[in-house]
Amino acid sequence: MERQSIGVDTFSAENIRNCEKHILSMQRRLDKAVADNDKEGIRETFDLLTKRSKAVVILATWRITQHNVGKYTAGVDGIAIPKGQSREYQNQIRHRIMAEIDIGKKPDKIKWVYIPKPNGKKQPLGIPTLYDRIVQEMLRIALDPIVEYRYNGNSHGFRPKRSCQDAMSQLFLKLAKEDRPRYVLEGDIKGCFDNIKHEHIIDTLEDWSVPKWATETIGKILKTEVFQNGEVYDSETGTPQGGVISPLLANVALTTLDDFCNKFGTKKSNPIVRYADDFVIVCRSEPEAKEIKEEVAEHLRCKVGLTLSEEKTKITHIYKGFNFLGFNFRKYKTEIKGGKVKYTLSIRPQKERVKDLLEECKEILDSHKTATQENVILLLTPKLVGWAMYYRHVVATRTFSRVDGKLWDKLYRWAKRRHPNKSKGWIMNRYFQRTSERKSHFVDRETNTKIPMLGKIPIKRFVKVNNDYRVYDKDPQSIEYWNKREYLNAFDQIESVKRKRLFQKQKGKCPHCKRGITRDDIYEQGMHIHHVVPKSEGGIDDYSNLRLVHTECHREIHGKKSHGEEVLGQDKV
């Protein structure tokens, strides 16, 4: 593996898969060293991963220059992956960057920009060079098994194999029963990423047995100078948003908050649920909530250098409800037999998120007034399905149906604007189709593409991650648990019947790279349906001729075919 990495096929699907397998075996080895408190083993394996492994350099380069959304954005050195260029040319740039990787080198200055936020304000974003982003990804890969072992089970943000739905499900368990706490402290930290004490991060990593040279390197990353409007500024606090390693370091810093909150709970239950810098603490009374707020604020200020926002940190009764990660949590009064009153917890999509979705759909329609009906459907479908799959685990059927109704109105107005002199009947016949439920569906009859009906997406309870299993534990039972969970979560994320059948037929794996198809792949629209025999050559839309593959694998398959190389065939699946 280590000897054959660099070359023409460095970034092929097969080589990336081999790199991932090799790195995972090393991460499991590192996890065992942490579990055994084997400090020498931690140092040796960490050094092997970061200083001597070609596989880590390749994988980090591939992730940053191919999958990262900032791959086309240059830092202060002006180097970025060029858009629209051939794969071969892009790979030349990747190889050039890889040849210069030195993990101990002082980072270049960070380019500081401001990006607009939904509320009209601007958010600062630090952009390291591509080179420094790759170095940060290499460190993140090696740090992950160490910090994962130390994290609290109540933290869910920016961690492998955890999601917002895990945090939502855990909060449901803490609040659902009748005898559970009725007040919540909604925590909001002022400028979390910008104000964390560097010393606290470094001290925590040293306590967790991260090698000295690595903590010194991370110290250099944290103190990297910032370039803004022609001026250079020192960085004394914080871990800039935009840095690949920043979310991990923020989690490291805030683990002290998770552990601190143990004192407010019971032996079996810590009252905090945290996702990155957003957190909720459940409380039994308003006085208890006020006391906890003061103690938490003092702990964050003294230990981490952070302050709570007085304006946004609230104490709320569960009967009034609160929002967390786009979900609205609230207990509603219900009457049961005998006139007895009961309060039932209901989790629904946050109203503001529904409004945002409809606004985004309106913007798409307004900016594509002359687009074909098929293109409009293709633009709207991923956004609608992705949004619905995020909320399909809560009480959302009515909300989905309301979105369908509001969107129908917008689609009708879009069609009417194209044909102002046509009657309603003509427009309905041209752009819509009656369904068995006596509703009309926005359908392009030529291609049979249609807008998905969110109201038909079934609601299914999300199963929270089991904290008893470590992500990098090499125990066969743990490996089996994560493999099974990954398969089921990915399958549940698929809305299309055709894709579900292909996923099952392929046992959850991409037949080109042999890697598993994950929940994130589905959610981020990172999958394509590939025709083994192209339709242009007489291929049919039958399951025997279809394969569900990663987007990048699909491009690689067609790239090989265009060069006359052998491609994926039926006999190889």
Side-chain angles (χ1 to χ4, degrees):
M1 169 64 235
E2 295 294 326
R3 292 192 298 273
Q4 58 87 43
S5 298
I6 301 293
V8 177
D9 296 325
T10 300
F11 301 110
S12 68
E14 181 182 5
N15 199 46
I16 293 298
R17 175 173 59 90
N18 288 338
C19 288
E20 288 178 333
K21 286 174 64 178
H22 173 77
I23 290 166
L24 180 58
S25 69
M26 296 299 292
Q27 288 176 315
R28 285 175 175 161
R29 178 173 157 184
L30 190 50
D31 173 88
K32 185 177 188 307
V34 177
D36 294 342
N37 196 27
D38 178 5
K39 294 183 180 181
E40 181 61 26
I42 293 172
R43 186 196 61 76
E44 180 184 326
T45 310
F46 193 96
D47 287 0
L48 185 60
L49 265 172
T50 51
K51 293 182 175 180
R52 293 167 19 217
S53 173
K54 279 285 198 303
V56 169
V57 179
I58 292 169
L59 186 60
T61 302
W62 180 244
R63 286 177 176 173
I64 297 303
T65 63
Q66 180 59 43
H67 294 294
N68 192 278
V69 292
K71 62 185 176 183
Y72 301 126
T73 305
V76 293
D77 61 357
I79 298 174
I81 298 299
K83 268 186 181 180
Q85 294 293 331
S86 69
R87 185 185 182 95
E88 289 76 15
Y89 182 71
Q90 291 181 346
N91 282 348
Q92 287 177 19
I93 295 175
R94 293 184 177 108
H95 280 122
R96 214 158 45 230
I97 294 172
M98 285 170 57
E100 298 175 2
I101 291 293
D102 177 3
I103 201 165
K105 175 180 171 289
K106 182 182 177 181
D108 288 319
K109 297 176 181 65
I110 293 174
K111 184 166 73 174
W112 201 257
V113 298
Y114 288 88
I115 57 174
K117 295 174 69 176
N119 60 7
K121 296 182 180 180
K122 289 189 175 181
Q123 173 179 316
L125 184 68
I127 303 175
T129 62
L130 271 184
Y131 178 100
D132 288 333
R133 278 176 256 173
I134 292 168
V135 168
Q136 288 187 28
E137 175 64 10
M138 291 168 62
L139 283 167
R140 191 201 64 77
I141 288 170
L143 283 170
D144 218 30
I146 299 175
V147 299
E148 268 296 311
Y149 186 87
R150 303 288 184 175
Y151 285 156
N152 191 292
N154 297 284
S155 164
H156 300 281
F158 301 115
R159 294 180 60 184
K161 304 185 186 297
R162 288 177 183 251
S163 65
C164 294
Q165 284 75 16
D166 285 299
M168 175 271 294
S169 298
Q170 186 173 32
L171 197 48
F172 174 85
L173 294 174
K174 291 182 182 296
L175 292 168
K177 291 185 179 179
E178 190 70 21
D179 62 343
R180 292 298 164 90
R182 297 185 179 182
Y183 284 86
V184 296
L185 171 63
E186 303 174 62
D188 186 276
I189 301 173
K190 279 186 180 179
C192 176
F193 282 80
D194 300 328
N195 297 301
I196 297 172
K197 285 181 181 178
H198 292 169
E199 296 78 11
H200 171 64
I201 294 174
I202 300 302
D203 289 347
T204 303
L205 291 174
E206 288 179 350
D207 288 344
W208 293 353
S209 301
V210 174
K212 183 70 175 176
W213 74 264
T215 60
E216 290 175 351
T217 301
I218 291 167
K220 293 177 187 176
I221 292 171
L222 290 171
K223 294 189 180 299
T224 302
E225 294 176 324
V226 172
F227 181 80
Q228 180 183 2
N229 299 326
E231 300 288 336
V232 177
Y233 302 91
D234 290 334
S235 177
E236 298 300 330
T237 61
T239 172
Q241 295 189 55
V244 177
I245 204 171
S246 293
L248 181 146
L249 296 180
N251 259 345
V252 168
L254 290 173
T255 298
T256 184
L257 172 62
D258 306 329
D259 295 340
F260 180 74
C261 287
N262 272 316
K263 65 182 289 188
F264 305 121
T266 64
K267 289 182 179 180
K268 294 184 178 180
S269 178
N270 185 324
I272 192 172
V273 176
R274 183 173 65 82
Y275 190 94
D277 58 337
D278 292 324
F279 67 90
V280 169
I281 301 175
V282 300
C283 312
R284 295 198 170 273
S285 67
E286 188 171 10
E288 181 188 57
K290 290 179 179 178
E291 182 180 341
I292 290 175
K293 178 184 175 182
E294 290 179 5
E295 291 196 41
V296 164
E298 179 69 11
H299 181 77
L300 284 173
R301 184 181 64 80
C302 296
K303 188 79 174 177
V304 196
L306 298 173
T307 58
L308 292 179
S309 167
E310 283 297 325
E311 179 186 352
K312 296 180 180 179
T313 300
K314 305 172 185 176
I315 295 171
T316 310
H317 197 289
I318 190 61
Y319 295 168
K320 290 185 178 180
F322 65 96
N323 297 322
F324 184 59
L325 302 178
F327 301 99
N328 179 261
F329 294 75
R330 184 179 175 184
K331 279 192 174 181
Y332 292 86
K333 183 189 292 186
T334 56
E335 289 190 12
I336 56 178
K337 288 182 179 180
K340 185 178 178 181
V341 175
K342 183 180 179 181
Y343 286 87
T344 304
L345 180 65
S346 178
I347 306 176
R348 303 178 184 183
Q350 185 178 333
K351 289 181 180 179
E352 291 81 0
R353 297 294 179 91
V354 179
K355 183 180 178 182
D356 290 345
L357 172 69
L358 292 172
E359 281 296 320
E360 289 173 15
C361 291
K362 181 179 182 298
E363 288 175 10
I364 289 174
L365 293 173
D366 288 346
S367 59
H368 292 82
K369 295 176 182 178
T370 60
T372 65
Q373 184 180 16
E374 180 187 17
N375 283 342
V376 166
I377 292 171
L378 292 176
L379 285 168
L380 289 173
T381 295
K383 184 172 293 293
L384 290 166
V385 171
W387 187 89
M389 299 309 279
Y390 182 87
Y391 288 108
R392 68 170 301 197
H393 305 291
V394 299
V395 182
T397 300
R398 287 186 181 180
T399 302
F400 287 174
S401 295
R402 283 198 298 271
V403 169
D404 286 338
K406 296 281 186 182
L407 184 60
W408 191 97
D409 292 340
K410 295 180 189 300
L411 291 168
Y412 179 81
R413 286 197 293 271
W414 176 86
K416 179 65 178 176
R417 190 165 51 218
R418 293 167 68 91
H419 308 282
N421 299 321
K422 296 294 184 180
S423 67
K424 181 177 180 179
W426 186 93
I427 290 172
M428 292 296 295
N429 187 57
R430 168 68 176 78
Y431 290 99
F432 295 85
Q433 190 176 72
R434 286 286 180 183
T435 66
S436 57
E437 294 88 358
R438 296 184 180 181
K439 296 179 180 179
S440 51
H441 205 162
F442 192 72
V443 178
D444 180 4
R445 287 181 171 81
E446 291 185 9
T447 60
N448 199 35
T449 53
K450 59 186 72 174
I451 286 290
M453 300 290 283
L454 305 191
K456 291 186 176 181
I457 294 177
I459 302 300
K460 184 171 182 179
R461 179 176 173 269
F462 185 84
V463 180
K464 188 185 80 67
V465 67
N466 188 333
N467 289 329
D468 292 336
Y469 295 101
R470 301 196 307 276
V471 172
Y472 297 108
D473 188 356
K474 67 178 183 179
D475 178 72
Q477 192 174 355
S478 291
I479 294 172
E480 182 183 359
Y481 168 79
W482 292 115
N483 288 342
K484 183 177 179 181
R485 181 176 174 80
E486 184 175 90
Y487 178 93
L488 292 175
N489 280 349
F491 182 77
D492 287 343
Q493 193 68 24
I494 304 173
E495 189 268 338
S496 159
V497 173
K498 180 184 287 186
R499 292 187 176 216
K500 277 184 182 262
R501 289 184 180 176
L502 289 171
F503 184 86
Q504 288 177 307
K505 182 180 177 182
Q506 297 169 196
K507 297 182 179 179
K509 294 186 181 297
C510 169
H512 182 66
C513 69
K514 307 299 189 295
R515 287 181 291 164
I517 297 171
T518 67
R519 183 176 185 273
D520 287 343
D521 291 329
I522 305 296
Y523 182 71
E524 296 168 6
Q525 304 297 315
M527 305 303 302
H528 283 182
I529 291 181
H530 168 64
H531 289 76
V532 178
V533 179
K535 296 182 76 172
S536 60
E537 298 176 10
I540 58 174
D541 282 329
D542 185 80
Y543 286 107
S544 62
N545 191 47
L546 301 177
R547 303 290 183 269
L548 186 64
V549 298
H550 294 108
T551 303
E552 285 307 312
C553 291
H554 201 202
R555 289 173 185 160
E556 188 169 299
I557 292 167
H558 285 284
K560 285 183 178 180
K561 185 173 182 182
S562 66
H563 288 84
E565 298 177 31
E566 184 180 13
V567 298
L568 195 68
Q570 296 183 38
D571 59 329
K572 293 193 174 184
V573 177

